[in-house]
Each structure stands twice: as C-alpha cells, then as structure tokens.
Amino acid sequence: MDRFIGDLSSHTHQLKERSLPFGGVTLCYTPNHAPNHAHIDSDIDSDIDSDILRCDRYLRVHWRNFLKALRSFDDYCEQRASDDNDGDELRMEETWWLMKIELRKDLRDILEPVLATRRNLRSLILDRNEFGRDGVLFLCNIIETNSYLKEVSLFNNPVKDIGDLTRLCDAVSKHPSLEDLALGNIGLDDDEGKLSIILKASKNLKCLGLSGNCIGSRSAAAMFAKFLTANDNTTTMFLRDNDFSDESAYLFALALRNNKRLRLVDLRGNLFTQLGRVTVLNTLFDPSSLTAVVESNHTSVVYIDESNFDELGAINRKGFQEENMHRKLFSALYATTPGGRLGRLLNDFPLGLMPDLLAYLQDFYLDDIPRGMRKHAMESLHQHALDDFDEAFSRQTTFTVVFETLRNW
C-alpha cells in the first residue's frame, strides 16, 4: 500500500514539476515489492500476492490529486503550444499500467473521462483487477471514445456475459487504430461461441493474446487455423496454456505453411508430445530433402516447448527469410552422414541451383547455426530423439559435406 501511494505521489510530483516528459502511469499493487512489469499476455510472478488493492477514502484523495495535476500539466502543454513553443516536447506516447487495483465506481467515474480523451494514450493495461461486468463496460466506453489507443490488455479479468464480450469486440472491430489486444485468462473455458466472436472482431489486429483460456478442442484449433490462414494482418498470437493436443498441432502446422506473414506464435504450455512438436517444427524446417527445406516457412518464430524454449524458438530467429533458408540448407547437409543419406537429400534438388548451394556452404560455420536448428535436423533425419546429437553433428566437417555434395551431384 505504501509503495503504491508512493508511486502515485511520484507521478503527481512529476506532473507538477513540469520538468520531465510524461510517458504514462505504472501502478501495480505488489505487497512483497515484486517487479511490477509483465508482458501483457504472460503470467505475473507467481510470488506476488493475489490480493487486490482496495480503494478507500484515503487512497481516493491521492487519485484526485494526481488527476488534478494531470489536467494542469495538459493545460500547461496546450499553453506552450499556443505560444509557438513546442508543447509536445513534454508529451510522450503514454502507457497506463493499472494492475491489481480495485476500480470501484467512484474511481472509474473520475478515471474514465481522462482515459477516454487522452490523445497520447497508446497502451492501456488493466490486468488482474477483477472488476467484473462494470469494469468491462468501463473499458468499452474508453475504447469507443479514444481513437488513439493501440494496445489494450484485459488479462485475468473474467468476462462471463456474452453480451459484454460482444460489445467489447464490437468496439475493438470498429476502432481505427487498435493493434494489440490481450484477452488471456478471461474465462472462455472452451466456449467456441465466445471464441468465434473474438476472432471475427480481431481481423485488423496485429497481435492477439488468448492464453490461459482452456480452448484446446480440435474444433477451436480449427477456428484458429482458419483465422491464421485467411488473415493478412495478424502477425503475432499468444496461445499458451490452452490444452491443445497433437491433433491440434497438425492444424497449426497447416496454418503456418499457408501463412508466412506470421512473425510469432507462442504455443508453450499446451499438451503436445514429441510428435506434436515435430509436426509444427517440420513446417518451419523440413530436412527430409533440400527442396522441402527451401519450401519451409522461413519467417515465423514458434515457441512450443518451455523446457528448450531458446533452442526451438531459434529456428527462424536469426535473420531475414533468405538467411534463415541458407542456415537450414547448411544444417540439413551437415546433419547427414556418408552412405547414401545425403544423396537422398539431393534427389529432387534442381541441378541449376547446385553452384548456389555450394556457395551457401562456404558462408557459414557450425557456430553460425542455432543449436535448436541443428538438433531438429538430426532428430528428424534419424527419426528419434538424440541425447548425444552434439557429438553426432560434430562428426561431419565442411570439407566432408562439400565433397559428398559434389560426389552425389
């Protein structure tokens, strides 16, 4: 409580001083002083006390002082602008983090007109406030009024009423500039009707977060796959902890094969076995032949396994599309062993591209290839997990690969 009031008072002091640019508000109730920043669709540190900061009469005084100082600051900037000075030099794009706070009606009533009209407000994070239906409608009013917003998060605030969800999604779909929407852990609980409403409203978004909603049925996965395949705008999706199975992995693999505009898909914490993981990763890097490597998805990063997050997430994380493809070609050739396997890789590879392939081999060294890419190539070619894959991979040398490539050519 003392820390929260201290942060709120600090914001008030900053505005009254008018000596520093104002870039928004970070207010998160953290009783044990844990870090108060978290990704909009990720879990906050589990050590943080789950209690919500109750808004009493004493705290409302601080809120009123802060909002009064904010209005004074805005008037000051407007005055500077009218005096032919650059009043905008004190304004920055604002992010408001209002987390784990009881947003009672009297507090919402004084916050809503401020948030609804702030021209510099770009991100509004309302995570873990447990404000129920009234809070959802409070957010709807802000989205419907403030046309400058780009990012909204409602993480861990259950939306139980389908009518409230419909109004929220309607406001999102009509908003002229909103790009990122985080609706993680809002209690969808495999309700495909609610999921359909959200996906229909999200076609213009760049980033959509729906983690922790227990929407892992095959039909829900098919809805996501259809959305990802047909949508030209969405480049990032967070779908962690939704109980997706290996059957769903096949549908996500199809979506990744058909939509190479995707930049990031987070599927960690689901129920994929090794089979499901390989099914998805083969879409990004299929080492069964060099033609299959070339036709793989070279743009999307997929996080699918928490235990080797950095390895598997590195397959397309190193560079641009062509650079990723070259690394995969190098990795596939390097993972082969003499005795016919490399020849099978080259079976359907166009002969006219062979000089370019040999040039690629000279551009990379073993250390240039992400470990996860090397491991996936070895395990896919040998069709089982390799505990000693580093040793197996190191048996080949660049000279051996060049020689074998030329010999099979």
Side-chain angles (χ1 to χ4, degrees), residues 102-121:
E102 182 186 24
L103 295 176
R104 289 171 47 169
K105 184 179 185 305
D106 50 355
L107 181 54
R108 294 197 307 270
D109 287 345
I110 61 175
L111 278 174
E112 184 179 315
V114 174
L115 295 173
T117 57
R118 295 206 65 73
R119 293 180 299 168
N120 285 47
L121 180 61

Side-chain angles (χ1 to χ4, degrees), residues 349-369:
F349 193 72
L351 293 180
L353 297 179
M354 192 61 68
D356 290 334
L357 177 61
L358 294 172
Y360 299 156
L361 291 177
Q362 301 177 52
D363 289 339
F364 295 105
Y365 296 95
L366 182 60
D367 291 342
D368 293 325
I369 309 301

Side-chain angles (χ1 to χ4, degrees), residues 243-250 252 267-282 302-308 312 376 379 384-385:
D243 299 333
F244 291 120
S245 65
D246 287 348
E247 191 176 21
S248 301
Y250 173 74
F252 284 115
L267 293 169
R268 287 175 291 167
N270 286 291
L271 304 179
F272 303 126
T273 66
Q274 176 69 8
L275 175 62
R277 290 191 290 271
V278 170
T279 298
V280 174
L281 294 175
N282 271 345
V302 177
Y303 298 139
I304 196 169
D305 191 340
E306 197 74 63
S307 62
N308 51 6
L312 298 181
H376 178 67
E379 293 184 343
H384 63 83

Side-chain angles (χ1 to χ4, degrees), residues 42-106:
S42 300
D43 288 337
I44 298 176
D45 193 317
S46 59
D47 292 333
I48 295 179
D49 192 294
S50 60
D51 289 341
I52 300 298
L53 178 61
R54 302 304 167 187
C55 185
D56 57 16
R57 184 180 304 174
Y58 176 64
L59 187 57
R60 284 196 294 274
V61 172
H62 289 274
W63 274 110
R64 292 186 187 279
N65 288 338
F66 165 69
L67 295 174
K68 181 179 179 181
L70 184 61
R71 286 191 292 270
S72 176
F73 174 82
D74 290 339
D75 292 341
Y76 173 69
C77 291
E78 292 293 337
Q79 183 62 45
R80 287 194 56 163
S82 65
D83 291 340
D84 295 328
N85 293 313
D86 189 7
D88 288 335
E89 68 183 14
L90 292 176
R91 298 180 185 271
M92 300 172 61
E93 292 191 351
E94 296 175 10
T95 296
W96 285 52
W97 296 72
L98 304 177
M99 302 165 61
K100 303 184 72 177
I101 306 167
E102 182 186 24
L103 295 176
R104 289 171 47 169
K105 184 179 185 305
D106 50 355

Side-chain angles (χ1 to χ4, degrees), residues 224-232 251 254-256 258-259 261:
F224 279 116
K226 181 179 179 181
F227 175 80
L228 292 172
T229 300
N231 196 329
D232 293 334
L251 296 170
L254 288 178
L256 288 164
N258 293 322
N259 184 350
R261 294 175 299 277

